[in-house]
Amino acid sequence: MSWELLLWLLALCALLALVVQLLRFLRADGDLTLLWAEWQGRRPEWELTDMVVWVTGASSGIGEELVYQLSKLGVSLVLSARRVQELERVKRRCLENGNLKDKDILVLPLDLTDRSSHEAATKMVLQEFGKIDILVNNAGRSQRSLFVETSLDVYKELIELNYLGTLSLTMCVLPHMIERKQGKIVTVNSLLGIISAPLSSGYCASKHALRGFFNCLRTELATYPGIVVSNICPGPVQSNIVKNALSEEVTKSVGIDVAQSHKMVTSRCVRLMLISMANDLKEVWIADHPFLLIAYLWQYMPTWAWWLTNILGKKRIENFKKGLDADASYFKTWKTKHD
Ligand SMILES: NC(=O)c1ccc[n+]([C@@H]2O[C@H](COP(=O)([O-])OP(=O)(O)OC[C@H]3O[C@@H](n4cnc5c(N)ncnc54)[C@H](OP(=O)(O)O)[C@@H]3O)[C@@H](O)[C@H]2O)c1
């Protein structure tokens, strides 16, 4: 075979590989490392059994679905959030799944903003189960309001809950993991910890701060290879996040159910989270297009991303001012066209 032919063949292979990657990307609902792990990596069913997993924000949405899926893997669970009745409801459903007994699930009411209670809560988990293998920092609230119309208290609350509350609980659990030289700290961040969008400036700030913090903590823990720090960054996922989002005043949440059909189904998001946990991935992005594409643009082509976000953002603000759900109308149309 001549050199020329060999070069042509190599170029053709490279082109084919590129086309395959492009097709994979068009169908992707997570970053490509995560989807590779889903295809070739370790299964949650092999890796996560017999673990003690503490999930905050387990009374609703992503956290609720996460504990349902975990309960099928035979783990011991600690369910935390403020609303104890909701946690008891979630516990009952976990028990209906059949794999766990009453003693395997601890309902532990916790307000993430009440930092003085975190040490005692951690002690209670250790008393009950003797160890904490995985802490899932999931509890959090979002925001729907323009900066110029929003009280500073809203910003304080978002930082208290999403950022400082999460740090405080991590600070209580980490010494135990360091002692055992193992553990996973999994934080449910957001694509808004990477990109930015109007109407969520305080939420974006809290999630950007969280991402910066945990990326730094990972480097400080480099001497403990058994301790894994993971950032999970979902795009829009079906849950109560918008209904519970803060608006202009700290006492005022959005309070209404919004359309969910343009968002990722919660069970799919959680399945990908479990894959990430089983494979110790450091950061994962979980989103359908166009949100996933937008995240890649922000990461690799920021100038284009800012241009596009200004266009989409203008529409988002217009919808908000008309009292419509900020995203639903145009992303729903996009999704219907492309599904
Ligand atoms: N859904 C999305 O589109 C999306 C996208 C990206 C990231 N996320 C992130 O996913 C996480 C879960 O949100 P979600 O979508 O499942 O929303 P959700 O349905 O509103 O659930 C939020 C959870 O956080 C808990 N929580 C709120 N304030 C708390 C506090 N002060 N102390 C303790 N727990 C508190 C709530 O329980 P109580 O009210 O009972 O306390 C609830 O269980 C959040 O960190 C959010 O930022 C969501």
Side-chain angles (χ1 to χ4, degrees), residues 3-154:
W3 279 109
E4 203 172 301
L5 187 62
L6 192 67
L7 280 178
W8 273 108
L9 273 177
L10 279 176
L12 194 68
C13 287
L15 190 71
L16 263 176
L18 199 72
V19 170
V20 169
Q21 286 300 333
L22 199 69
L23 288 176
R24 278 185 67 210
F25 182 69
L26 287 176
R27 296 181 56 79
D29 58 1
D31 67 82
L32 296 182
T33 310
L34 172 61
L35 295 188
W36 181 265
E38 183 184 27
W39 186 40
Q40 289 287 316
R42 302 192 290 258
R43 321 302 311 155
E45 291 74 13
W46 309 333
E47 298 295 324
L48 303 178
T49 46
D50 298 329
M51 293 203 167
V52 175
V53 189
W54 186 358
V55 181
T56 67
S59 64
S60 167
I62 293 175
E64 178 178 352
E65 176 63 27
L66 178 64
V67 297
Y68 294 150
Q69 292 198 24
L70 281 168
S71 70
K72 294 177 186 157
L73 304 182
V75 301
S76 300
L77 284 169
V78 183
L79 314 184
S80 285
R82 291 164 304 175
R83 290 169 302 163
V84 67
Q85 274 184 333
E86 287 303 299
L87 292 174
E88 292 292 354
R89 172 186 64 77
V90 172
K91 175 175 177 175
R92 280 195 297 277
R93 254 197 81 184
C94 286
L95 292 174
E96 280 165 22
N97 280 337
N99 273 358
L100 299 183
K101 300 194 173 64
D102 189 72
K103 66 171 180 45
D104 299 323
I105 307 179
L106 174 66
V107 165
L108 182 59
L110 181 91
D111 184 340
L112 218 53
T113 60
D114 177 11
R115 282 182 260 144
S116 63
S117 67
H118 294 179
E119 192 68 59
T122 308
K123 279 198 180 127
M124 206 173 285
V125 178
L126 290 174
Q127 241 168 32
E128 185 78 15
F129 293 118
K131 61 172 186 167
I132 300 166
D133 293 295
I134 309 181
L135 169 66
V136 184
N137 289 313
N138 166 71
R141 284 181 79 180
S142 187
Q143 177 194 9
R144 282 289 185 280
S145 60
L146 289 167
F147 173 65
V148 287
E149 295 170 357
T150 304
S151 150
L152 197 62
D153 291 341
V154 169

Side-chain angles (χ1 to χ4, degrees), residues 273-309:
M273 283 171 64
L274 291 179
I275 299 228
S276 163
M277 284 154 71
N279 289 279
D280 293 336
L281 300 182
K282 294 181 178 64
E283 178 165 297
V284 296
W285 301 355
I286 301 173
D288 290 314
H289 287 301
F291 308 102
L292 185 64
L293 174 66
I294 291 171
Y296 271 91
L297 282 180
W298 270 81
Q299 180 85 359
Y300 297 109
M301 298 179 181
T303 309
W304 285 25
W306 293 327
W307 171 79
L308 182 68
T309 309

Side-chain angles (χ1 to χ4, degrees), residues 215-227:
N215 282 341
C216 185
L217 180 64
R218 190 185 302 113
T219 63
E220 290 187 13
L221 293 173
T223 43
Y224 298 94
I227 302 180

Side-chain angles (χ1 to χ4, degrees), residues 152-285:
L152 197 62
D153 291 341
V154 169
Y155 290 84
K156 273 166 78 178
E157 177 69 14
L158 287 165
I159 290 292
E160 277 292 336
L161 170 59
N162 294 350
Y163 182 64
L164 289 176
T166 301
L167 260 62
S168 163
L169 197 61
T170 303
M171 203 174 260
C172 294
V173 173
L174 190 56
H176 162 73
M177 289 186 175
I178 288 178
E179 203 181 311
R180 294 180 70 218
K181 297 192 173 57
Q182 68 182 72
K184 299 179 202 279
I185 299 167
V186 178
T187 302
V188 183
N189 199 297
S190 168
L191 280 192
L192 289 182
I194 301 165
I195 73 172
S196 292
L199 301 169
S200 303
S201 51
Y203 180 69
C204 280
S206 68
K207 293 291 185 175
H208 275 68
L210 265 188
R211 185 170 179 240
F213 168 77
F214 280 107
N215 282 341
C216 185
L217 180 64
R218 190 185 302 113
T219 63
E220 290 187 13
L221 293 173
T223 43
Y224 298 94
I227 302 180
V228 179
V229 177
S230 297
N231 295 328
I232 309 275
C233 301
V237 175
Q238 294 178 359
S239 78
N240 289 318
I241 189 97
V242 178
K243 186 178 179 185
N244 293 332
L246 289 163
S247 59
E248 291 81 4
E249 297 294 334
V250 77
T251 48
K252 193 176 150 207
S253 50
V254 169
I256 44 165
D257 287 311
V258 294
Q260 303 267 7
S261 60
H262 67 294
K263 298 183 179 184
M264 180 183 276
V265 175
T266 324
S267 56
R268 174 65 182 157
C269 170
V270 166
R271 178 66 195 168
L272 290 174
M273 283 171 64
L274 291 179
I275 299 228
S276 163
M277 284 154 71
N279 289 279
D280 293 336
L281 300 182
K282 294 181 178 64
E283 178 165 297
V284 296
W285 301 355

